[in-house]
Amino acid sequence: MSSSLRFDRGHTDDLMAFLMASPSPYHAVATAAERLEKAGFRQVDETAAWDGTSGGKYVLRGGAIVAWYVPEGAAAHTPYRIVGAHTDSPNLRVKPLPDTGAYGWRQIAVEIYGGTLLNTWLDRDLGLAGRISLRDGTHRLVNVDRPLLRVPQLAVHLDRSANPDGLKLDRQKHMQPIWGLGDVEEGDLIRFVAEEAGVDAEDVTGWDLMPHPVEPPAYLGRDRELLAGPRMDNLLSVHSATAALAAVAGQPDAELPYIPVMAAFDHEENGSQSDTGADGPLLGTVLERSVFARGGTYEDRARAFAGTVCLSSDTGHAIHPNYAERHDPTHHPVVNGGPILKVNVNMRYATDGSGRAVFAAACEKAGVPWQTFVSNNSMPCGTTIGPITAARHGIQTVDIGVAILSMHSARELCGADDPYLLANAMTAFLTG
């Protein structure tokens, strides 16, 4: 492997910009779509009839995007190569009646989304982002990317047990951010958000809003070999998948034996069961419609799916120097060691021996090192969109990712080289 491959930081610089531009799943798919548009992709409407023309296309639905590139002359039964990821991250989400407060403090009522590490949201400067739904049925993205909210921690003088016994946070009482002083006014937050978006508050009939840390990503360490930033679980994978698909679409069609696909879903952090989640019909519908738009039959659809492989890419756990006993004693993924192959025989990850061979071949083709992750037998294993994709669509699926520390924190940590190595492995996989 050449040093230029391992130490190219241009991709990581671009990842940092992607993270800053994507404070919510809705922003993430909009940012990915913008990048694909520059690579020649065009959006197709789910309610319109699709044609069978070649080239790059994508579908947007809420916080999900599915994009694919049909090479010139691709047969209706041509298999797909899919890179799957998710756009959501554990965080705080604004409640339907957001205006609250007490004792002269104005606060915002929030719910806890996913398995976030609550303490990492304390005493951070938070912005507010997401989308608002308007009376005419359209949506508007909103991003207040400046210090607006804060979840204040109780002073140690008022909780002497916090250090010896551990901090204890009540999800309902202790996680409501403050955003000002004065009396609580119903409708105040939405009036503020509407003004920021440049619309009339009376036209706002729905919202999906979430606080986000405004501190930008940053290189860390003596030699800047680490990257700290928000939402790397799992926008790191979304960014690499977008870059890989755009790169593949720029290659000669004759060199593409498969139809490359990127599928980035919402709601992975709470089970994927939504119309924009991996457990919904979105991916299968898009793939089937692509087959049928090219004049295919159900037989062609079955043949295409039978030859399809999906890489489910999500962040995984690097060996933690302070908690090594929590890891498997013989599997120690390290940062900047290349992407990890995730294995769990109980199918919390979808990888099997055949999938391992597919991933190993892609990494070998790209000249990228790779590692293996398996959980300590005494610890429960997490899961991903991988098993869901495999079971729902009958598609061979392999779970991979990048090893990080502080997963589900408001600010996570990875190796600065690993995102680029992941993107190279994805590119090799998509081209077969």
Side-chain angles (χ1 to χ4, degrees), residues 193-227:
V193 170
E195 182 178 354
E196 289 286 324
V199 301
D200 192 326
E202 296 300 318
D203 289 332
V204 179
T205 55
W207 51 86
D208 301 280
L209 299 170
M210 56 204 74
H212 67 276
V214 298
E215 182 184 4
Y219 288 108
L220 185 145
R222 184 193 66 179
D223 299 320
R224 292 163 52 89
E225 69 268 52
L226 302 171
L227 176 67

Side-chain angles (χ1 to χ4, degrees), residues 180-254:
L181 301 173
D183 297 331
V184 177
E185 295 184 34
E186 184 177 351
D188 199 20
L189 178 68
I190 299 308
R191 283 192 293 271
F192 168 80
V193 170
E195 182 178 354
E196 289 286 324
V199 301
D200 192 326
E202 296 300 318
D203 289 332
V204 179
T205 55
W207 51 86
D208 301 280
L209 299 170
M210 56 204 74
H212 67 276
V214 298
E215 182 184 4
Y219 288 108
L220 185 145
R222 184 193 66 179
D223 299 320
R224 292 163 52 89
E225 69 268 52
L226 302 171
L227 176 67
R231 299 178 296 280
M232 286 196 281
D233 179 12
N234 188 32
L235 293 188
L236 188 160
S237 295
V238 176
H239 173 261
S240 287
T242 304
L245 183 61
V248 169
Q251 297 184 9
D253 285 3

Side-chain angles (χ1 to χ4, degrees), residues 163 400 410:
N163 284 328
I400 67 163

Side-chain angles (χ1 to χ4, degrees), residues 35-367:
R35 290 164 179 243
L36 291 173
E37 289 271 358
K38 292 179 179 178
F41 285 70
R42 63 181 177 87
Q43 184 176 1
V44 294
D45 188 342
E46 289 190 84
T47 64
W50 291 5
D51 59 48
T53 56
S54 60
K57 305 172 185 179
Y58 67 90
V59 165
L60 286 181
R61 184 192 291 183
I65 181 172
V66 179
W68 66 104
Y69 181 84
V70 180
E72 188 73 38
H77 61 267
T78 300
Y80 299 96
R81 280 288 175 101
I82 305 167
V83 174
H86 67 86
T87 61
D88 59 318
S89 303
N91 62 4
L92 311 178
R93 302 286 176 104
V94 175
K95 288 184 176 181
L97 299 176
D99 300 295
T100 187
Y103 305 105
W105 294 99
R106 292 193 303 172
Q107 294 175 275
I108 303 301
V110 296
E111 288 187 271
I112 311 301
Y113 179 83
T116 187
L117 284 169
L118 297 179
N119 65 294
T120 67
W121 288 83
L122 301 178
D123 297 331
R124 288 187 182 273
D125 295 337
L126 305 174
L128 189 69
R131 68 175 182 179
I132 53 176
S133 301
L134 304 181
R135 195 175 301 280
D136 62 4
T138 62
H139 304 284
R140 188 73 61 91
L141 295 183
V142 180
N143 183 12
V144 184
D145 195 29
R146 62 180 185 272
L148 179 70
L149 309 170
R150 184 181 178 93
V151 183
Q153 187 169 188
L154 184 65
V156 70
H157 312 77
L158 303 178
D159 184 10
R160 297 289 184 177
S161 66
N163 284 328
D165 299 333
L167 180 66
K168 296 178 175 60
L169 294 171
D170 184 288
R171 293 162 63 92
Q172 177 61 38
K173 294 192 299 183
H174 299 153
M175 297 306 297
Q176 310 307 312
I178 60 172
W179 77 306
L181 301 173
D183 297 331
V184 177
E185 295 184 34
E186 184 177 351
D188 199 20
L189 178 68
I190 299 308
R191 283 192 293 271
F192 168 80
V193 170
E195 182 178 354
E196 289 286 324
V199 301
D200 192 326
E202 296 300 318
D203 289 332
V204 179
T205 55
W207 51 86
D208 301 280
L209 299 170
M210 56 204 74
H212 67 276
V214 298
E215 182 184 4
Y219 288 108
L220 185 145
R222 184 193 66 179
D223 299 320
R224 292 163 52 89
E225 69 268 52
L226 302 171
L227 176 67
R231 299 178 296 280
M232 286 196 281
D233 179 12
N234 188 32
L235 293 188
L236 188 160
S237 295
V238 176
H239 173 261
S240 287
T242 304
L245 183 61
V248 169
Q251 297 184 9
D253 285 3
E255 298 179 7
L256 297 178
Y258 303 99
I259 296 174
V261 180
M262 176 190 74
F265 303 100
D266 201 353
H267 302 130
E268 188 273 347
E269 298 293 355
N270 60 12
S272 296
Q273 292 186 322
S274 71
D275 69 316
T276 53
D279 204 18
L282 180 58
L283 176 61
T285 299
V286 168
L287 300 183
E288 289 177 346
R289 291 186 68 178
S290 178
V291 169
F292 298 148
R294 284 175 280 123
T297 64
Y298 183 82
E299 180 71 10
D300 292 314
R301 180 262 187 214
R303 292 174 66 187
F305 277 45
T308 292
V309 184
C310 174
L311 286 188
S312 162
S313 182
D314 204 346
T315 54
H317 302 293
I319 182 74
H320 197 303
N322 298 339
Y323 301 91
E325 72 280 0
R326 302 296 182 97
H327 298 265
D328 183 83
T330 59
H331 294 76
H332 294 161
V334 296
V335 299
N336 288 335
I340 56 174
L341 180 74
K342 300 179 178 182
V343 178
N344 180 265
V345 295
N346 295 302
M347 288 292 105
R348 299 290 286 173
Y349 303 130
T351 307
D352 62 9
S354 176
R356 174 191 172 101
V358 171
F359 179 64
C363 290
E364 182 178 355
K365 179 180 178 181

